[in-house]
Amino acid sequence: MNIVVGITGGIAAYKAVNVVRGLVLAGHEVHVVATEAALRFVGRPTLEAISRNPVHSELYEAVAEVRHVAIGQAAELIVVAPATANTIAKIAAGLADDLLGNSILASKAPILLAPAMHTEMWQNPATVANVATLRARGVQFVGPASGQLTGSDSGPGRMAEPDEIVAAALAVAAGGGPAGHRADLMGRRVLVTAGGTREPLDPVRFIGNRSSGKQGVAIARAAAARGAEVTLIAANLDEGVLTGLAGSIAVRHVSTTLELQEAVLLAAGTAELIVMAAAVADYRPETVAAGKIRKEAQGDSLQLRLVRNPDILHELVQGRHDGQVIVGFAAETEPDAAALLELAVAKRARKGVDYLVVNRVGWTETFGSDDNAVMVLDATGGNVAQAHGDKQSVADRILDVVA
Ligand code: PMT
């Protein structure tokens, strides 16, 4: 996506470097438009190196390219961080006396502002009215936070942290429009598991399953795009599945069910939403051989004794804290739709989850593929949603229901 990051003249401009970096690392093409005042706070070479593009600031530069409107016309999202009281007033008034003002006025893209100013300025009736005007036009805001300001004072007016701005920008981008109705997990802590656990038999072999982690990672991406702070517990995922993750997704790698259990229980305490999309082994070998199991020592058959793994989802439900929403998945091979639903309703009741996402799996179905088809059951066992298509859109539909 082509994202314009406007940087205006406030001390928080130094933090805008990390906003640019976060958006670039999330795979976006970022063009910085800095006001003259912004360039007193942060150097052009820094912004050019981090954005990997020239920084624009002059209204009368490249006039033949009609740059004063071209940047805004090409933008798919405009993020202004920091947005000073002065800039907010200018945008509200529709002023175009610098390149950023022109770019915003010439653009139809969604706009996200990250205000940064002293508390008195933020609370000034002029700013309050300007913000209300912009909100009414569909402009989105992230922050400001309350905290230590530039001097010794503190209060509301501190720019939101770069990670939060990046997450909000991605949420607005995912919403595809200025309404931002999908920024509905803003600041929420979400825990997602993805992939398949592996239970070792010896140093070279394991019992596992064919989960690629694509569906779980799609949920993590969708939650981050809605503004959540996500912990993704990744069981044996290929690096390819994890490329281009937003900075607001912290990844923890695990392999066995017991490792997954430890990581999940550690993160669950602060999570407000938990989605267990990982395919978890119900059994593990009772003993793990220290060296490679040799066929010469076994003869024609090999007997394995397996023991039950903990049911992590069940433990989560037992330890659930107030307000925590828990979503389980059910992977079933049942071909008949009515029988599948019956199995799912029973599993939902057994597990005690708030929502159960049911998908059919098979030799060629769902595991590893880019598409999925799901039903979502709620806590009454009612079938509240269905979705099919690529795993990212299925993830979004699931979050539409639970967010
Ligand atoms: O990874 P992909 O290739 O994209 O494929 C996606 C998927 C098919 C793996 C995914 O959509 C899915 O269905 N994941 C859950 C797989 C699973 O373990 O289903 P289950 O019906 O066996 O388990 C029910 C629920 O209990 C699941 O939420 C599971 O995470 C959880 N569980 C299961 C066993 C166990 N010991 N502890 C658990 O917490």
Side-chain angles (χ1 to χ4, degrees):
M1 175 174 274
N2 180 342
I3 302 179
V4 168
V5 176
I7 305 179
T8 71
I11 182 64
Y14 81 93
K15 289 195 197 169
V17 175
N18 279 336
V19 174
V20 173
R21 183 172 164 75
L23 293 171
V24 169
L25 292 181
H28 298 286
E29 176 72 18
V30 178
H31 295 277
V32 172
V33 177
T35 63
E36 225 173 89
L39 293 176
R40 290 175 180 236
F41 289 99
V42 59
R44 186 187 287 270
T46 306
L47 293 167
E48 294 197 336
I50 299 293
S51 71
R52 305 173 189 172
N53 277 309
V55 167
H56 304 295
S57 59
E58 288 297 321
L59 192 51
Y60 294 101
E61 223 177 48
V63 173
E65 293 170 19
V66 204
R67 188 174 289 163
H68 70 294
V69 291
I71 292 173
Q73 285 169 338
E76 291 169 275
L77 171 67
I78 298 181
V79 180
V80 183
T84 58
N86 183 50
T87 301
I88 290 174
K90 281 168 50 170
I91 301 171
L95 288 185
D97 61 351
D98 60 9
L99 187 63
L100 182 60
N102 276 270
S103 302
I104 289 174
L105 214 51
S107 182
K108 291 186 176 157
I111 298 170
L112 176 72
L113 305 183
M117 63 197 75
H118 283 273
T119 304
E120 294 79 359
M121 295 166 116
W122 176 246
Q123 291 175 343
N124 187 291
T127 308
V128 171
N130 290 330
V131 169
T133 301
L134 290 172
R135 281 195 204 277
R137 287 188 203 143
V139 171
Q140 307 257 354
F141 287 81
V142 51
S146 188
Q148 179 76 55
L149 302 170
T150 320
S152 55
D153 51 342
S154 69
R158 182 185 160 90
M159 189 173 86
E161 291 305 314
D163 270 2
E164 202 186 328
I165 298 171
V166 170
L170 299 176
V172 175
H181 58 282
R182 288 159 113 188
D184 46 11
L185 289 175
M186 189 64 71
R188 300 291 190 170
R189 285 179 299 273
V190 175
L191 169 61
V192 183
T193 65
T197 58
R198 290 179 183 173
E199 306 299 344
L201 294 166
D202 66 15
V204 294
R205 306 182 181 94
F206 58 82
I207 298 175
N209 62 70
R210 293 188 293 112
S211 167
S212 62
K214 287 180 184 173
Q215 186 62 77
V217 171
I219 290 167
R221 287 183 202 275
R226 290 164 181 249
E229 282 171 37
V230 182
T231 299
L232 171 65
I233 301 182
N236 306 298
L237 298 197
D238 282 349
E239 273 309 310
V241 179
L242 293 170
T243 48
L245 284 189
S248 52
I249 305 179
V251 183
R252 311 258 177 280
H253 293 276
V254 297
S255 188
T256 65
T257 299
L258 293 181
E259 289 167 10
L260 182 79
Q261 178 196 32
E262 191 184 345
V264 165
L265 296 182
L266 193 69
T270 54
E272 295 165 281
L273 168 63
I274 301 176
V275 184
M276 284 286 291
V280 184
D282 286 318
Y283 293 89
R284 66 180 184 280
E286 188 173 41
T287 53
V288 179
K292 186 177 173 189
I293 299 171
R294 308 205 63 84
K295 56 182 175 300
E296 296 81 0
Q298 300 296 328
D300 286 344
S301 69
L302 167 65
Q303 294 230 340
L304 294 174
R305 191 175 160 76
L306 305 179
V307 292
R308 274 294 281 272
N309 267 327
D311 186 330
I312 304 169
L313 189 56
H314 184 69
E315 280 182 54
L316 287 171
V317 170
Q318 296 305 306
R320 174 187 1 221
H321 60 70
D322 270 359
Q324 189 174 55
V325 175
I326 301 180
V327 182
F329 266 71
E332 304 291 351
T333 50
E334 172 57 56
D336 178 70
L340 176 69
L341 182 60
E342 210 174 299
L343 279 176
V345 169
K347 186 172 271 188
R348 210 280 334 141
R350 226 175 28 250
K351 298 270 187 181
V353 288
D354 298 295
Y355 295 96
L356 187 76
V357 180
V358 189
N359 45 202
R360 194 180 283 119
V361 293
W363 294 108
T364 57
E365 218 171 345
T366 309
F367 278 123
S369 80
D370 290 334
D371 299 319
N372 199 359
V374 302
M375 285 184 296
V376 184
L377 306 188
D378 70 6
T380 67
N383 180 355
V384 287
Q386 301 193 0
H388 62 90
D390 63 88
K391 284 181 174 166
Q392 199 58 59
S393 60
V394 167
D396 246 319
R397 184 71 194 105
I398 294 167
L399 291 187
D400 281 345
V401 173
V402 302

